[in-house]
């Protein structure tokens, strides 16, 4: 056992649930004495499940859902807290409460207990006395356990709390625990225990309700509308009679009748219950659950007197990452789009990058993460978050090199071992993006073997004649251009899976070749560069006609071929024109899914069609980014048509209103609309490339880069583009004006602020 847990044993309660039933959350306590003065005291603690610790009646730390979610078949993290100030001379009490969490609660649509059947605790308090001697208080069967007010707690289902069963001052000295039982010694799986490095989940902010009203459909129910779809839970302050029972339901959206719409939550109950103890004002927030919601309905049982709900606040939870970037422009709907993208990130960066926070899914879908990572890295410092998730990925990699579709790998939905094109390729795109955004070579170094292992896997199992997802060797071929409106993602029609597969295969080889060069592995770099060349040739042979047309007519096929440089330069302009023609013939609307959407506007701009990119960006009719905004969305929807006036709600089987994937357009807003782009890794060199267009008259992006604060602001005044550029102290920059504009500015810029004016020729 690790030194920090030298004396500790895993322990559990004497009670646990089954594959379909929850047991009450166990409480643990141990009494110990502290004599003499204490120099320092550190609590090292982890759980398989979730823990919350208390010391002498006070909560230890401010983490939520500690120790977090990792690939539990290989690794669990622990936290260390400085608790010196919480100890006192004489009798002390250490306490812990355990929740089922991801370890033994429900995950996705599977049964409970995927990793183990009950939550386990491992804790060691190390006290260093003034004389240098050390006392260790370590988890053991000598600790006492019981159950209390948390009757059940599950991340997907919700929490049930009966305040009548509260245990009083259970974690304070002087408490009578004679009716508590001894803890059980437990056997934990043989996995690594490591100190956590990733950002913990915390309560980031609280939201007051925007509106609060008595539900017209229920005589005893109150509805709170927080005005924002988000991830977390509510905190309630209530007064009422003992035994009054509250049912708390959560929903992202209202139905046509104005009631909470919960059909899209699928198998997640997303309901909390609270029973009052009736001793005055009671405040409660669930501990071991979260929901994705904008609306809360609190209803109560009939009784002699209704409870008085004094206040309800929304508690926003996510991994605690510093906010680094902001974007805004002169177009209010695009500003709301940016707001929605940011809240999509806040809602889904919780321990792992999840697809959605509300239904019975909430998984680390690789495809979604690779699509959004670049946008995410602008809004917040996601370096540590992805360090940790990439480690989960290495742990989840199969011995053959396959990268699963979800990480941690929950083996849900009967998914194949390989995530397939664009999904498993998170193995390249994510570390590469971390390197680009943070100048972080260490992440590439740590991940290189995993990346190379995946390339070997592809060559062995998924590729024929340099075509990946070739139907002869891969009958599944991946998720396709998921949720595209042109039939992609279905078995027939849409962007062919071998086209998607080969395009991303080429990109993988390119990233690996660059990575090998950076890591000073010239032979491997040469090998991957040659491989890249062969894949490009094979792509051209199979999918590109001599005049630059693609064998598949979808927008995504054109976008991928152009974005990954797969079309010969001589016909590239013709390929881009064909993409534009296809967008025009679609009523100047996009039709792309998860795979093509992130690159669509980049490709149009890079090939001389900025005007078309702006038309798509400013399009308000379905399908477009602004259509949900016009419907009042406050986060990014999973589907372009999550709700439409003609058809109402999409299929309940898959219709989240809080999926960040289409929010990947945020990257284009920053890099091209505002014009803050990476010149050299970590923005060591900034490329200012403002591209005004559409109806926009101004835009601005500010970013705290690893080298300091960078910013760009532009404003159109008649024929003049007025720019203010800020270059961090440790960086340089270059200004690239849009075609047809000229200024006296030299182009190369040093640290500091620069006011530049450009005129239209
Ligand atoms: C998830 C996605 C994911 C997809 C795989 C869905 O159920 O919500 O976001 O990428 O499955 O195709």
């Amino acid at each position: 056992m690790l030194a920090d847990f030298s004396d500790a044993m895993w322990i559990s309660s004497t009670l646990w649930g089954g594959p379909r039933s929850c047991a009450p959350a166990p409480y643990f306590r141990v009494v110990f004495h502290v004599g003499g003065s204490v120099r320092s005291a550190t609590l090292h603690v982890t759980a398989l499940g979730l823990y919350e610790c208390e010391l002498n009646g006070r909560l230890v730390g401010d983490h939520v859902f500690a120790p977090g979610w990792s690939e539990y078949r290989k690794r669990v993290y622990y936290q260390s807290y400085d608790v010196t100030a919480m100890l006192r001379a004489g009798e002390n009490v250490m306490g812990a409460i355990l929740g089922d969490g991801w370890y033994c609660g429900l995950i996705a649509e599977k049964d409970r207990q995927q990793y183990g059947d009950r939550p386990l605790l491992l804790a060691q308090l190390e006290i260093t006395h003034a004389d240098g001697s050390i006392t260790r208080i370590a988890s053991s069967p000598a600790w006492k356990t019981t159950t209390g007010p948390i009757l059940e707690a599950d991340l997907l289902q919700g929490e049930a709390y009966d305040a009548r069963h509260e245990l009083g001052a259970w974690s304070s000295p002087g408490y009578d625990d004679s009716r508590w039982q001894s803890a059980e010694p437990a056997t934990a799986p043989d996995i690594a225990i490591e100190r956590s490095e990733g950002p913990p989940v915390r309560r980031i902010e609280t939201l007051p309700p925007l509106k609060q009203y008595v539900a017209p459909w229920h005589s005893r129910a109150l509805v709170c509308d927080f005005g924002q779809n988000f991830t977390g839970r509510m905190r309630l302050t209530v007064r009422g009679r003992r035994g009054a029972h509250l049912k708390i339901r959560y929903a992202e959206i209202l139905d046509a009748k104005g009631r909470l719409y919960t059909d899209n939550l699928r198998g997640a109950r997303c309901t909390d219950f609270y029973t009052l103890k009736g001793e005055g004002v009671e405040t409660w927030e669930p501990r071991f659950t979260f929901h994705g919601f904008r609306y809360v309905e609190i209803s109560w049982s009939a009784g002699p007197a209704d409870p008085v709900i004094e206040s309800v606040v929304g508690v926003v939870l996510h991994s605690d990452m510093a906010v680094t970037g902001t974007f805004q422009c002169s177009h209010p709907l695009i500003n709301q789009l940016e707001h929605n993208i940011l809240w999509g990130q806040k809602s889904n960066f919780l321990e792992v990058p999840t697809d959605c926070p509300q239904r019975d899914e909430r998984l680390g879908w690789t495809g979604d993460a690779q699509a959004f990572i670049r946008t995410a890295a602008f809004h917040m410092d996601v370096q540590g978050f992805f360090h940790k998730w990439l480690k989960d990925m290495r742990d989840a990699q199969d011995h053959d090199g396959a990268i699963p579709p979800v990480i941690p790998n929950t083996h849900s939905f009967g998914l194949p071992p390989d995530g397939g094109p664009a999904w498993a390729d998170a193995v390249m795109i994510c570390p590469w993006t971390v390197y680009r955004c943070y100048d972080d070579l260490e992440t590439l170094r740590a991940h290189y073997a995993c990346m190379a292992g995946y390339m070997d896997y592809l060559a062995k199992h998924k590729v024929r004649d340099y075509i990946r997802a070739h139907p002869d060797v891969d009958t599944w071929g991946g998720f396709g251009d998921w949720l595209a409106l042109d039939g992609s993602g279905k078995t027939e029609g849409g962007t062919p899976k071998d086209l998607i597969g080969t395009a991303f295969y080429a990109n993988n080889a390119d990233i690996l070749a660059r990575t090998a060069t950076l890591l000073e592995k010239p032979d491997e770099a040469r090998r991957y560069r040659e491989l890249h060349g062969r894949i490009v040739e094979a792509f051209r042979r199979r999918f590109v006609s001599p005049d630059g047309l693609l064998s598949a007519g979808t927008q995504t096929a054109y976008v991928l071929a152009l974005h990954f440089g797969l079309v010969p330069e001589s016909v590239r302009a013709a390929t881009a024109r064909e993409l534009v023609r296809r967008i025009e013939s679609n009523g100047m609307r996009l039709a792309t899914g998860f795979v093509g959407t992130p690159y669509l506007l980049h490709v149009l701009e890079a090939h001389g069609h900025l005007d078309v990119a702006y038309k798509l960006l400013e399009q308000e009719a379905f399908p477009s980014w602004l259509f949900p905004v016009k419907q009042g969305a406050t986060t990014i929807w999973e589907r372009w048509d999550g709700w439409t006036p003609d058809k109402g709600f999409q299929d309940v089987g898959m219709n989240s209103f809080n999926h960040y994937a289409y929010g990947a357009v945020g990257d284009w807003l920053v890099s091209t609309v505002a014009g803050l782009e990476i010149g050299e890794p970590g923005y060591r060199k900034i490329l200012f490339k403002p591209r005004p267009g559409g109806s926009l008259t101004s835009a601005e992006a500010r970013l705290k880069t690893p080298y300091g604060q960078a910013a760009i602001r532009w404003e159109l005044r008649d024929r003049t583009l007025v720019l203010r550029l800020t270059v961090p102290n440790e960086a340089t920059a270059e200004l690239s004006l849009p075609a047809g504009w000229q200024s006296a500015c030299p182009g190369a810029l040093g640290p500091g602020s620069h006011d530049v004016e450009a005129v239209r020729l």
Side-chain angles (χ1 to χ4, degrees):
M1 188 65 88
L2 218 63
D4 286 342
F5 294 105
S6 55
D7 297 2
M9 286 171 68
W10 286 96
I11 55 172
S12 77
S13 160
T14 49
L15 188 71
W16 53 89
R20 290 266 134 204
S21 57
C22 267
Y27 285 61
F28 297 84
R29 78 190 297 272
V30 68
V31 179
F32 58 96
H33 285 81
V34 174
S37 66
V38 169
R39 189 190 299 159
S40 67
T42 306
L43 172 64
H44 307 290
V45 56
T46 188
L48 286 165
L50 308 175
Y51 73 80
E52 227 184 62
C53 285
E54 295 188 16
L55 197 52
N56 294 329
R58 284 169 56 205
L59 193 64
V60 177
D62 58 359
H63 296 193
V64 177
F65 306 138
W69 191 12
S70 50
E71 187 59 51
Y72 287 142
R73 291 180 184 88
K74 297 264 176 68
R75 200 179 307 274
V76 65
Y77 291 102
Y78 72 95
Q79 286 75 33
S80 299
Y81 303 93
D82 179 353
V83 292
T84 317
M86 298 176 84
L87 291 183
R88 55 200 217 179
E91 191 177 319
N92 286 259
V93 175
M94 203 13 247
I97 316 173
L98 294 186
D100 289 351
W102 296 277
Y103 184 73
C104 50
L106 268 182
I107 298 186
E109 54 180 19
K110 299 201 85 178
D111 280 350
R112 293 164 38 78
Q113 303 178 324
Q114 287 311 302
Y115 301 99
D117 62 1
R118 74 203 81 166
L120 312 178
L121 174 71
L122 185 72
Q124 183 161 303
L125 170 62
E126 187 152 315
I127 304 170
T128 306
H129 300 275
D131 63 2
S133 62
I134 291 178
T135 308
R136 296 191 179 96
I137 313 299
S139 51
S140 80
W143 288 33
K144 297 290 210 64
T145 182
T146 192
T147 60
I150 306 174
L151 303 184
E152 59 173 65
D154 183 276
L155 294 173
L156 299 177
Q157 305 297 57
E159 191 161 312
Y161 188 96
D162 188 336
R164 294 172 302 182
H165 297 301
E166 280 179 356
L167 298 168
W170 65 277
S171 64
S172 296
Y175 180 83
D176 175 13
D177 65 11
S178 56
R179 292 172 66 186
W180 291 41
Q181 290 175 285
S182 299
E184 295 269 300
T187 311
D190 185 18
I191 55 174
I193 305 173
E194 261 175 44
R195 181 166 300 160
S196 73
E197 292 165 12
V201 175
R202 288 198 170 93
R203 294 172 182 83
I204 304 295
E205 60 186 298
T206 53
L207 302 175
L210 194 68
K211 276 191 272 177
Q212 198 164 302
Y213 51 94
V214 175
W217 57 85
H218 195 303
S219 52
R220 294 178 304 276
L222 183 79
V223 176
C224 297
D225 170 4
F226 291 97
Q228 175 63 53
N229 200 14
F230 68 100
T231 295
R233 50 214 186 189
M234 56 94 242
R235 185 183 303 142
L236 169 78
T237 303
V238 60
R239 241 175 335 108
R241 75 189 152 81
R242 183 173 176 83
H245 186 61
L246 305 181
K247 180 176 180 182
I248 303 148
R249 300 198 306 134
Y250 296 80
E252 293 183 283
I253 198 161
L254 301 178
D255 68 14
K257 292 185 178 147
R259 297 175 184 217
L260 271 69
Y261 179 76
T262 55
D263 294 356
N264 66 334
L265 303 178
R266 302 197 311 213
R269 191 186 68 203
C270 295
T271 306
D272 299 327
F273 299 96
Y274 182 78
T275 306
L276 280 77
K277 61 185 170 203
E279 294 168 12
V281 176
E282 305 177 29
T283 295
W284 178 69
E285 175 192 329
R287 268 191 186 78
F288 296 129
T289 193
F290 68 89
H291 311 286
F293 67 104
R294 169 175 166 170
Y295 300 91
V296 172
E297 179 205 82
I298 304 173
S299 59
W300 48 91
S301 50
D306 285 345
V308 179
I309 312 269
E310 303 226 322
S311 78
V312 185
V313 291
V315 181
V316 177
L317 302 175
H318 59 80
S319 292
D320 192 0
M321 298 162 291
V323 172
T324 46
T326 55
F327 165 88
Q328 58 182 354
C329 69
S330 55
H331 194 310
L333 294 180
I334 295 175
N335 288 342
Q336 181 66 38
L337 172 67
E338 162 62 15
H339 168 100
N340 296 2
I341 296 170
L342 177 62
W343 277 88
Q345 177 166 352
K346 291 184 182 190
S347 307
N348 283 297
F349 275 52
L350 190 143
E351 275 300 319
V352 305
T354 61
D355 56 335
C356 57
Q358 72 300 80
R359 67 179 181 225
D360 55 349
E361 194 143 350
R362 312 185 191 182
L363 300 175
W365 277 99
T366 45
D368 308 40
Q370 65 79 17
F372 190 67
I373 182 172
R374 181 61 201 275
T375 301
F378 171 74
H379 289 137
M380 295 180 197
D381 178 356
V382 299
Q383 191 183 11
F385 181 82
F386 274 100
H387 263 152
K388 182 264 177 193
W389 189 63
L390 288 171
K391 201 163 182 178
D392 294 340
M393 185 183 285
R394 296 196 283 280
D395 282 350
Q397 184 171 35
D398 164 287
H399 62 276
D400 218 8
I403 297 292
V406 298
I407 289 163
N409 190 359
T410 56
H411 304 274
S412 304
F413 314 112
L415 290 169
D418 172 42
W423 269 253
D425 301 323
V427 68
M428 311 284 171
I429 295 169
C430 292
W432 183 251
T433 306
V434 170
Y435 161 66
R436 294 282 301 159
C437 295
Y438 300 100
D439 200 3
D440 173 2
L441 208 52
E442 282 321 300
T443 287
L444 283 180
R445 206 184 305 282
H447 214 60
Y448 184 76
C450 180
M451 296 158 86
Y454 187 59
M455 275 311 250
D456 292 345
Y457 169 84
L458 288 181
K460 222 185 317 163
H461 300 285
K462 299 285 172 179
V463 168
R464 180 164 186 169
D465 299 334
Y466 301 100
I467 297 297
R468 177 181 178 197
H470 193 295
D472 287 356
V473 290
D474 186 3
T475 49
W476 175 56
F479 296 101
D481 187 18
W482 190 250
L483 301 182
L485 295 166
D486 57 9
S488 302
K490 303 215 180 92
T491 0
E492 294 301 326
T495 311
K497 291 181 175 179
D498 53 351
L499 187 152
I500 299 175
T502 310
F504 277 84
Y505 187 36
N507 186 49
N508 288 352
D510 182 47
I511 291 177
L512 255 182
R514 290 170 195 257
T515 303
T517 304
L518 288 165
L519 300 180
E520 291 166 20
K521 298 174 189 293
D523 294 346
E524 291 173 44
R526 199 170 317 111
R527 188 156 61 81
Y528 289 121
R529 187 51 62 208
E530 276 169 23
L531 174 63
H532 176 256
R534 296 218 176 86
I535 301 169
V536 174
E537 277 168 31
F539 185 95
R540 289 177 181 172
R541 268 199 308 277
R542 193 171 170 94
F543 305 112
V544 190
S545 77
D547 49 2
L549 298 189
L550 292 175
S551 59
T554 61
Q555 293 178 14
T556 288
Y558 279 83
V559 166
L560 296 185
L562 288 166
H563 186 73
F564 293 131
L566 304 173
V567 177
E569 184 149 16
S570 54
V571 290
R572 226 170 263 169
T575 312
R577 268 198 308 278
E578 181 60 16
L579 169 63
V580 169
R581 203 186 63 70
R582 285 173 184 277
I583 293 169
E584 284 167 351
S585 66
N586 196 38
M588 199 48 94
R589 294 173 209 197
L590 52 75
T592 48
F594 278 30
V595 171
T597 303
Y599 312 125
L600 175 61
L601 302 189
H602 284 288
V603 162
L604 288 166
E605 185 265 330
H607 293 86
H609 300 286
L610 183 69
D611 54 334
V612 180
Y614 268 101
K615 282 185 182 143
L616 291 180
L617 179 65
E618 293 193 80
Q619 176 65 265
E620 294 179 16
F622 164 80
S624 66
W625 283 283
L626 295 187
F627 172 74
V629 171
K630 292 280 282 183
Q631 311 312 312
T634 58
T635 40
I636 300 294
W637 294 357
E638 176 175 26
R639 308 176 86 121
W640 297 117
D641 55 353
W643 182 89
T644 60
D646 309 341
K647 296 193 184 142
F649 289 111
Q650 248 284 5
D651 185 356
V652 295
M654 229 183 56
N655 196 21
S656 142
F657 292 95
N658 204 350
H659 246 67
Y660 53 55
Y662 289 148
V665 70
D667 164 35
W668 196 75
L669 297 179
V670 174
S671 66
T672 309
V673 174
L676 183 62
E677 177 60 300
I678 297 174
E680 284 171 18
Y683 301 82
R684 207 186 317 124
K685 177 169 175 189
I686 296 169
L687 178 61
F688 290 119
K689 46 160 269 212
R691 295 291 177 266
S695 68
L696 272 64
T697 53
S698 69
E700 161 173 5
R702 308 181 63 78
L703 176 67
K704 191 164 179 290
T705 75
Y707 296 101
Q709 184 66 47
I712 176 169
R713 178 180 160 75
W714 61 255
E715 206 181 317
L716 276 177
R717 291 188 202 148
D718 299 326
R719 295 178 64 82
T720 309
L721 183 64
V722 180
L723 290 150
R724 182 160 183 103
L725 310 168
T726 307
V727 183
N729 276 344
E730 294 173 69
T732 59
E734 190 185 312
L735 173 62
S736 138
L737 287 170
W741 290 83
Q742 203 180 45
S743 90
C745 169
L749 300 164
S753 287
H754 307 270
D755 291 312
V756 176
E757 284 196 0
V759 285
R760 208 192 282 261
L761 294 175

